[in-house]
Amino acid sequence: MTVRTRFAPSPTGYLHIGGVRTALFNWLFARKHGGQFLLRVDDTDQQRNVAAALEPILEGFRWLGLDWDEGPEVGGPYGPYYQSQRGELYQAAIDELLARGAAYRDYARPEELQAEREAAQAAGGQFTYSRRWRAETPADAARFEAEGRQAVVRLKMPRDGELALGDLVRGEVRFAWASEQDHVIQRADGSCLYHLASVVDDEAMKITHVIRAEEHLSNTPRQAFIARSLGYELPQYAHLPYVAEPGSKTKLSTRKLDKYLKNKDFAALVERGDGIARRLGLATAADTFNPVIVDFYAQIGFLPDALLNYLLLLGWSLDAQREEFSRPQMIEHFSLERVNKAPASFDPQKLLAFQDRAMQQLPLKQKVARCVPFLQRAALVSQPPTCDTGPYLSKILAAAGDRVKMAGDVLDYAEFFLPDDDLPYDAAAFEKRIARPAGARELLAAYAEELAGVEPFEAPALEAHLKEFVERRGIKLADVVHAVRVAVTGKAVGFGLFDALAILGRQRCQRRIARALASLNAG
RNA sequence: GCCCCGUUCGUCUAGUGGCCCAGGACAGCGCCCUCUCACGGCGCAGACAGGGGUUCGACUCCCCUACGGGGUACCA
């Protein structure tokens, strides 16, 4: 038997991080067993615009590299993969259920049902529908309809015994049938409900393992009942714990960004993202640009594998030590048996740590490839790039080393791409290291002049020269390093000064120092 | 209310009766490295929700309580 798993996104316009974790586990399980992973669009509830609302979700999957074997765009033998297009199948299943006596037409009015429910609750017991308005015969139906009633189709749930299910994450779970309701599977207007559609589709698409969030655990009995009544073989179930808010056990939600912003780690991540987005001129509205939505990470230059690696560890672990997994390793080691039962809270700092490490390990060439688009979007590099963009950026990234923690961080080094005359100065740094120190002006002038004789104009020679320079003058290295850094890069912080000088080249360094001195005079 | 699921350092977790006066990672704190910022090195601190059992022995098994989550919809 081939393993087949699915993820059923609703076309909501964005890909939620918790959803990705569920999708990842489904994908991993299918890949590990050489099976198929499919995407099925859960648009039973949607109006138009499904395509537009689905696109960002598919884009998220593509960015993450979670490929689907069947579903939107790729098709497959069990299509259509949009639930809104599968109505006939659902209707056939409902007819079948009715014919087999596993469902019935019910003419109760909502308020009548509500009254029964409240009475049961007041009595302190479980609610069991009296089935008073159930139509047993066409004559019953005609009578009810004469009263102006409309029918829904309800499941005729068992009222004795229990259902024992083997859940791949939770072990055996038991439910008493008596505590189940006669759930509606088709509304009066003929539209059908999620549980019915889901069961019918899983069967039609030959899904073998239903791996989903734990909020569906309590829904499983009614789905199992539908499946059994229709003569289906039950799939294997695995209910994953939910992903919780940072520092809490409450389920993570897309619409509570304001609340999460009060969490300092979450706020710090958003801040990082905003910094990059601002320089790219991107919109940063909370409902589209925030760490609960996957697109956030794509936009600021995360490595998809880092996000996936972090998400993998949110609820799953291999052993006491191992945390780093390449994609093939994830596939190799993943198992549902090692999925945790308790919810895990989303920790922005740990996610960042995974990203840092993944970026450190990324070969320079690939780092360059990931950064170029960001420079282009910020209009710091031409589109397409010239042939020396690559080598030039390589030098910068090599010098920056671990400081570039996500591709968008390359924008921290804009000074290497700006014309000398456009270089902005950090006002505080300029004041502290150039304007205020007594001898800074003379020192910078002398240094700029001596730069003419440094050969070769490379980091080791520059360093040797500056050491000799400060020794000759009887001053400390720091006295001149900081002033030169601000003059040449405009900033108080950055990577090794000698690397910066070498990358910019002699002329630009001299010109920039001269400009700093000039603006000192002007100011 | 009723039914179901869960509960180990701040966070992610290891642990399936003795290997645990509980191990690792992230964050935190301290020191070191240092031209700034990062990186890195070394070290410190920090948890079995509570109460009852069972057992020679319980983080591990059972029960209760508390807390969190889900279901109980003509939501998904």
Side-chain angles (χ1 to χ4, degrees):
Chain A
M1 182 184 66
T2 314
V3 165
R4 288 171 61 86
T5 64
R6 48 75 168 176
F7 181 71
S10 291
T12 52
Y14 53 81
L15 221 204
H16 187 272
I17 202 91
V20 172
R21 209 260 321 239
T22 303
L24 171 65
F25 285 19
N26 272 282
W27 182 83
L28 248 17
F29 190 78
R31 293 288 169 263
K32 163 148 188 151
H33 294 97
Q36 287 102 41
F37 169 66
L38 34 167
L39 242 37
R40 178 174 75 218
V41 183
D42 180 356
D43 57 350
T44 44
D45 215 27
Q46 309 293 319
Q47 299 78 344
R48 261 124 281 129
N49 255 343
V50 167
L54 183 62
E55 184 45 35
I57 293 170
L58 299 183
E59 188 49 45
F61 273 87
R62 276 184 227 109
W63 179 72
L64 288 162
L66 298 180
D67 55 323
W68 57 103
D69 303 295
E70 295 170 29
E73 296 184 350
V74 303
Y78 304 99
Y81 293 89
Y82 291 80
Q83 293 193 316
S84 59
Q85 296 169 21
R86 302 174 62 82
E88 286 171 30
L89 252 32
Y90 308 146
Q91 187 53 252
I94 288 165
D95 293 342
E96 181 74 22
L97 253 9
L98 248 12
R100 293 184 183 212
Y104 60 91
R105 289 189 198 284
D106 182 61
Y107 285 88
R109 294 193 164 105
E111 56 279 14
E112 290 163 342
L113 213 57
Q114 189 53 30
E116 281 199 9
R117 222 177 252 130
E118 279 165 13
Q121 231 189 65
Q126 290 184 356
F127 167 58
T128 306
Y129 174 41
S130 67
R131 293 180 181 161
R132 264 192 67 187
W133 291 280
R134 169 187 173 196
E136 310 228 30
T137 62
D140 291 339
R143 181 165 47 84
F144 287 135
E145 273 163 33
E147 290 175 27
R149 294 171 178 272
Q150 286 193 311
V152 297
V153 177
R154 283 186 189 279
L155 254 15
K156 191 175 173 192
M157 297 291 280
R159 289 178 170 178
D160 298 306
E162 60 176 18
L163 170 69
L165 280 172
D167 187 283
L168 264 15
V169 169
R170 279 148 216 279
E172 193 183 71
V173 185
R174 315 182 82 94
F175 301 88
W177 285 119
S179 55
E180 286 295 316
Q181 309 299 322
D182 284 358
H183 300 103
V184 172
I185 52 175
Q186 186 172 36
R187 298 182 181 96
D189 68 4
S191 61
C192 76
L193 281 98
Y194 167 78
H195 297 291
L196 191 268
S198 176
V199 170
V200 169
D201 288 341
D202 285 344
E203 168 72 12
M205 295 178 182
K206 298 196 159 41
I207 300 303
T208 58
H209 297 260
V210 172
I211 303 168
R212 61 185 4 174
E214 76 169 298
E215 55 256 39
H216 290 284
L217 183 58
S218 307
N219 296 154
T220 309
R222 74 186 81 157
Q223 296 184 4
F225 174 76
I226 295 172
R228 287 210 313 211
S229 300
L230 255 10
Y232 302 165
E233 194 180 321
L234 254 42
Q236 297 278 311
Y237 291 102
H239 288 95
L240 272 22
Y242 61 90
V243 176
E245 298 173 348
S248 136
K249 290 286 179 217
T250 309
K251 198 173 138 190
L252 194 64
S253 138
T254 324
R255 299 291 162 177
K256 283 155 86 179
L257 213 235
D258 287 349
K259 178 182 170 190
Y260 304 155
L261 248 16
K262 292 187 187 119
N263 174 285
K264 119 177 133 22
D265 300 332
F266 194 90
L269 217 206
V270 172
E271 180 63 28
R272 285 283 289 280
D274 278 351
I276 291 168
R278 222 177 297 123
R279 280 175 284 182
L280 292 171
L282 295 174
T284 55
D287 58 341
T288 55
F289 188 77
N290 92 58
V292 173
I293 298 171
V294 170
D295 189 49
F296 174 86
Y297 302 97
Q299 299 215 316
I300 65 179
F302 254 65
L303 261 9
D305 285 28
L307 216 208
L308 255 22
N309 196 161
Y310 171 71
L311 256 17
L312 174 68
L313 274 307
L314 213 52
W316 178 89
S317 67
L318 180 63
D319 55 33
Q321 303 293 137
R322 181 97 178 264
E323 292 208 323
E324 248 184 284
F325 295 88
S326 67
R327 203 170 284 242
Q329 288 167 339
M330 292 183 198
I331 294 169
E332 182 191 346
H333 295 292
F334 183 75
S335 72
L336 290 169
E337 290 71 43
R338 292 202 58 85
V339 172
N340 246 60
K341 295 183 186 69
S345 85
F346 175 75
D347 180 354
Q349 287 190 312
K350 188 139 184 171
L351 205 209
L352 241 14
F354 273 89
Q355 167 62 21
D356 287 3
R357 190 168 51 196
M359 202 67 171
Q360 282 175 8
Q361 293 168 355
L362 230 218
L364 186 59
K365 259 197 148 138
Q366 292 183 38
K367 229 191 238 191
V368 170
R370 295 224 169 238
C371 290
V372 167
F374 283 84
L375 292 170
Q376 290 175 331
R377 270 174 243 152
L380 291 167
V381 144
S382 64
Q383 172 109 269
T386 63
C387 59
D388 45 73
T389 299
Y392 184 67
L393 182 54
S394 289
K395 283 195 262 179
I396 293 165
L397 291 177
D402 301 336
R403 276 161 274 239
V404 175
K405 296 172 191 298
M406 51 189 87
D409 284 344
V410 72
L411 302 175
D412 287 342
Y413 302 97
E415 61 270 23
F416 292 94
F417 298 91
L418 292 171
D420 299 331
D421 288 337
D422 293 347
L423 184 73
Y425 298 113
D426 175 301
F430 191 88
E431 172 66 22
K432 179 175 175 191
R433 320 245 66 145
I434 296 180
R436 209 160 51 214
R441 186 199 162 78
E442 185 273 329
L443 216 49
L444 279 174
Y447 182 68
E449 194 172 322
E450 289 197 17
L451 243 23
V454 178
E455 284 301 344
F457 201 82
E458 283 163 15
L462 285 160
E463 181 164 9
H465 164 259
L466 187 64
K467 283 197 167 137
E468 186 269 329
F469 178 86
V470 297
E471 206 171 303
R472 203 186 325 133
R473 294 177 159 251
I475 55 176
K476 285 181 296 185
L477 193 69
D479 293 335
V480 34
V481 162
H482 296 300
V484 174
R485 183 193 303 284
V486 174
V488 157
T489 69
K491 297 174 181 170
V493 300
F495 51 73
L497 177 67
F498 305 111
D499 288 322
L501 296 174
I503 289 167
L504 283 166
R506 195 190 321 263
Q507 286 216 327
R508 283 208 278 171
C509 289
Q510 289 179 313
R511 228 179 290 150
R512 287 182 180 200
I513 293 172
R515 177 167 172 264
L517 291 172
S519 75
L520 188 57
N521 287 338

